[in-house]
Structure formats: C-alpha cells, structure tokens
Amino acid sequence: VVFENVFKNVFPRQLSADHTHLFTEKSITKMHDLIGVNSIGEWRFGTDFMDLYRHLMIKLQKNNASDKMIDFLYDGFGSKVYELQNILDEVNNLLLDIPNVPDESVPEGKNEDDNVVIKKYGEIKSKNTLDHLEITNHIDTDLAAKLAGSRFAVLKGDIAKLQRALITFMLDEASNNGYQEFYLPYIVNKESLIGTGQLPKFEEDQFKVSDRLYLSPTAEVQLTNMFRDRILDDKELPIKVTAHTSCFRSEAGSYGKDTRGLIRQHQFEKIELVQITHPTNSMDCLNDLLKNACQILDKLELPYQVIELCTGDLGFSSAKTFDIEVWMPSQNKYREISSCSNFSDFQARRSNIKFKDKKGNTFAHTINGSGLAVGRTLIAILENRFNGNDEIDLPECLVSYFGAKKVKLK
C-alpha cells in the first residue's frame, strides 16, 4: 500500500504530461503483478528505500517489464529518492512507535500498584539494617566517580571475586538448563536496537558512540538479533541462548532515584536468557524461563517474590511480564532482580525472525529475562547474609566458585 501510494501520489505530482500516463492505475497494477505481492511483503521496518528500489528493479527486469518503464525509473528516480525516503521514514517511525498488545491474560491496572503478587519464597531472617556500602568498603563509588563520573562503581578484593563467582555460577546454571552460551560484542548497531524495540522510542536511554552504533543496554539485543532475517526450522524450536555482558544505560528520567551504591548504575553486569519459540507454546516457554531464573535465587537461599505486571505497568515491547523481586533488608522491601517477558511476535516482526513448518513461514515468538542482574544479586547476598563480623556467610552453591565459605568485607 505504501509503495503504490508513493508511485500514485509522489511521482505524478512532479512528472510532465508526457510521463504521467506511465503511472496510471493500470500501469501500477501491472508493475505490482510483475514484481509479485510476496516481494512487497518481504520489505520490513527500517528498510532503506534504495534497497527496496534495487529489489524492485531486479524483479521488473526478470519479469520482462517494458524498457520504457524501466528506463524512466532509472532516469527519474534520482530526483525523487529523498522525498520518497522521507515519506517512508515517516511511515516507519509511526509504525515503530506503536507498542505491543498485552496478552488477554494480563491483569488490568493503571500502574505498579495494581501488579499482582504470584508467590513468595523464603523466610526473611536477616535483622541487618546496614546497606551494602556500609557493610563493606570494597565497593568504591568515589574512586569510580574520579575515573568516570556518577553511577559507576569499582569493586575490589573479595567483592570483585564474589561478582566473578556469581557470573560463572549463573552461566553454569543457564547451561545446565539447556541454554547455549555466547560471547558477544558490547556495541550494537541501530538495526539491532530497532529489532528488539529500544529504538526509536527509547533513544535517550542509550549511550550512542557513533551515527549508527550504541553501547548495548542488554544482551537481549544481541542474542535476539542473531536470528534477524532468518527462517528457522520449526524442529529447532525452542532455541535457548544465554550470555554474560556488561550493560550500559544512561538512566534518563531517573534523576535522583537510587543514587547510592549499585542499585542503578550506568554500567552493570547481567546474565541474559533468551528463547526463540513457537507461537503455540510461548507461554509455556515463558514459565520455563521464569523457573530457570527463580532456581538461581532458590540455590542462593535469598527471599524473593514473583509479581505479574498489570497492563498499565507493562513494557513497550512486552505482551506479558513477570518480575522477580529479591528482599533488600536495608530498604525493607523487595527490589526487581529479573524481568521475564513474552514479546509474542512483536520483536520477530521488527527483526524478521520466522520459522518454517508444513503451513509455510510464520513469525516466531521471543522470550527473555535476566538470569540474573549480577550487581543486585551481590547486594542481596551482602545484606541478607552479613553476619555482623565483617564477613559474609556464603550459600553452599557458591563455595566452590568462590573458593571459601566466607567473604572478607574489609
């Protein structure tokens, strides 16, 4: 429809009388037939008009379009390309700004106050009231400010070692649950961020390093876009992948929130879990991923709760989301440590991720969540397992990774 309107409305307005007859309803229909309906359907969000034009010209030539039509397009296209591209950019930006549709099972609500607690796990035993910066001096935000600025941290000694132990433990847990591990670039291109939904709507939250490159805000971007423009075999599904990366976010709009310590940083560590799934069982896969993330907290023996987000608190790209919140004694409340979401075919349509079965090619569903956010997990261990004697008693699952049963704090 966009293509036909461009050739009906843009070209004729600027053509001489000698040329307007080339773009009558009949000639456009003929061109459409020569190109093929499926060819137009292959054009997706973000495609440059020059790429579309080359694609159409090749199709026209292969289907023996008239020399007069082809010659005119070649000769006349140069003066119109920018206007055509601007129109298509406007259409793309409008479409890319439309959020996903909530699944019918999502509870209705206006904001986070209407979220629903699904379950609570673990007894809150800690009587500690100190926060993680008061518990240890091996988290140095002053030194980080000297090096980079606010919302960064330098970890030293056993605390740095504990973070490394947590990363390895979480990756091993993901591997044991069937996720294939990847090492990924920390810089991503614009197309990748469009595919997963960070752009164009949330550009102010990104760290931009060049015209088309950004620091990755989450490994969800890289892991999902590995399958961009691919047609998978339905027998491969679900595909389960994971990675540890540093994540970078400008935290625009969060001025004054969680300015102390590791809760909200410009740079933080995270293990990401991603599944590419069949539409018929994507909710089962979401529950599977949620279970995988919860198992980590179970083994770490940390109190937590699972909540289901209501429609008013649901993210831009998500059709259904469960948040896992871990108990933070110093704040006397639960704080988010993982967000597990089913994006239905929202990201797959933007990224052109399909699978093939007997019925043809169909958009896949994408699932992802943190398994887990490493910095907040470290905080939770420090605050929940502080023994009051400048030591942290580690849960059994971490002893072999850390190499000792206790963490020295000072």
Side-chain angles (χ1 to χ4, degrees):
V1 173
V2 173
F3 169 76
E4 291 180 358
N5 282 334
V6 165
F7 277 86
K8 287 177 185 176
N9 300 321
V10 176
F11 270 104
R13 285 203 307 268
Q14 301 188 31
L15 295 174
S16 68
D18 293 336
H19 291 133
T20 52
H21 68 279
L22 292 175
F23 295 92
T24 63
E25 186 73 32
K26 183 177 180 180
S27 64
I28 290 173
T29 301
K30 176 63 175 174
M31 188 184 298
H32 192 277
D33 291 339
L34 288 169
I35 295 165
V37 175
N38 290 336
S39 301
I40 298 295
E42 292 168 8
W43 182 48
R44 62 182 178 81
F45 295 135
T47 299
D48 187 271
F49 190 83
M50 285 301 298
D51 291 335
L52 176 63
Y53 170 69
R54 295 186 192 102
H55 176 73
L56 299 182
M57 294 303 297
I58 291 170
K59 286 284 187 178
L60 287 170
Q61 290 170 335
K62 285 183 177 180
N63 288 282
N64 299 316
S66 69
D67 291 339
K68 192 172 184 180
M69 178 181 288
I70 292 175
D71 290 342
F72 175 78
L73 287 175
Y74 273 127
D75 294 339
F77 189 79
S79 63
K80 309 299 185 300
V81 62
Y82 294 110
E83 182 177 356
L84 290 169
Q85 189 62 57
N86 288 336
I87 291 172
L88 294 175
D89 286 346
E90 289 179 12
V91 173
N92 278 334
N93 290 335
L94 174 64
L95 296 175
L96 290 170
D97 206 35
I98 298 173
N100 201 355
V101 179
D103 186 79
E104 61 182 11
S105 66
V106 175
E108 293 185 11
K110 295 181 178 180
N111 51 46
E112 62 181 11
D113 295 332
D114 297 319
N115 292 339
V116 179
V117 177
I118 302 300
K119 77 165 186 173
K120 291 180 181 285
Y121 171 87
E123 180 182 354
I124 298 173
K125 298 178 180 179
S126 176
K127 304 298 182 183
N128 169 55
T129 58
L130 301 176
D131 70 22
H132 53 288
L133 295 186
E134 295 170 319
I135 290 173
T136 179
N137 59 10
H138 285 179
I139 301 175
D140 196 333
T141 54
D142 291 334
L143 179 56
K146 176 182 177 181
L147 300 174
S150 62
R151 293 194 187 277
F152 292 94
V154 172
L155 307 186
K156 299 182 288 186
D158 273 2
I159 298 301
K161 184 179 178 182
L162 177 58
Q163 175 171 274
R164 174 160 51 90
L166 281 169
I167 291 169
T168 307
F169 165 66
M170 291 176 185
L171 284 172
D172 282 352
E173 285 296 300
S175 179
N176 292 338
N177 285 317
Y179 294 82
Q180 183 180 9
E181 181 180 347
F182 286 83
Y183 173 78
L184 303 167
Y186 285 11
I187 292 177
V188 294
N189 57 33
K190 186 175 183 178
E191 290 76 15
S192 295
L193 289 165
I194 289 173
T196 43
Q198 285 81 12
L199 292 183
K201 187 174 180 64
F202 302 106
E203 181 155 16
E204 66 176 5
D205 294 330
Q206 315 306 319
F207 279 112
K208 192 170 186 178
V209 297
S210 71
D211 183 48
R212 299 189 68 82
L213 296 178
Y214 300 76
L215 293 177
S216 172
T218 166
E220 164 197 344
V221 177
Q222 299 97 304
L223 290 172
T224 304
N225 277 276
M226 290 194 304
F227 304 95
R228 187 172 78 226
D229 294 326
R230 287 182 58 186
I231 300 176
L232 308 167
D233 192 310
D234 66 327
K235 296 181 178 61
E236 298 179 69
L237 306 179
I239 296 172
K240 303 167 75 171
V241 291
T242 187
H244 156 249
T245 62
S246 295
C247 305
F248 304 88
R249 299 180 188 177
S250 70
E251 295 296 344
S254 61
Y255 179 79
K257 296 180 181 178
D258 299 315
T259 56
R260 180 175 170 82
L262 299 181
I263 288 289
R264 195 181 297 272
Q265 296 269 286
H266 288 312
Q267 174 185 326
F268 59 96
E269 308 305 302
K270 184 159 64 76
I271 311 302
E272 191 70 11
L273 308 175
V274 169
Q275 294 191 28
I276 311 297
T277 77
H278 196 286
T280 59
N281 68 345
S282 64
M283 286 302 176
D284 291 336
C285 292
L286 173 61
N287 290 329
D288 173 66
L289 188 145
L290 177 65
K291 179 181 177 182
N292 298 155
C294 288
Q295 284 173 345
I296 298 171
L297 290 173
D298 292 338
K299 292 187 177 183
L300 292 174
E301 302 171 26
L302 293 171
Y304 68 90
Q305 67 179 13
V306 177
I307 65 171
E308 182 174 0
L309 301 194
C310 69
T311 51
D313 199 30
L314 207 59
F316 173 79
S317 301
S318 177
K320 188 178 182 71
T321 296
F322 295 102
D323 277 0
I324 306 172
E325 299 180 335
V326 69
W327 181 253
M328 296 291 189
S330 67
Q331 300 183 33
N332 197 37
K333 63 181 179 181
Y334 292 97
R335 295 299 303 266
E336 179 191 331
I337 200 168
S338 176
S339 188
C340 303
S341 299
N342 185 338
F343 299 96
S344 60
D345 60 1
F346 184 81
Q347 292 179 331
R349 288 181 180 275
R350 296 165 75 105
S351 301
N352 196 30
I353 304 171
K354 297 178 180 178
F355 67 90
K356 185 177 183 179
D357 59 15
K358 294 179 181 179
K359 298 179 180 179
N361 297 337
T362 306
F363 286 109
H365 281 196
T366 58
I367 317 292
N368 74 52
S370 302
L372 303 162
V374 180
R376 292 194 178 192
T377 305
L378 187 143
I379 294 172
I381 290 173
L382 293 179
E383 294 191 4
N384 280 282
R385 303 187 69 87
F386 178 50
N387 64 16
N389 297 314
D390 292 335
E391 292 178 332
I392 298 294
D393 298 318
L394 288 178
E396 187 62 32
C397 66
L398 285 183
V399 172
S400 61
Y401 290 94
F402 185 75
K405 293 184 177 181
K406 297 180 184 294
V407 178
K408 303 293 184 182
L409 295 173
K410 296 181 180 179

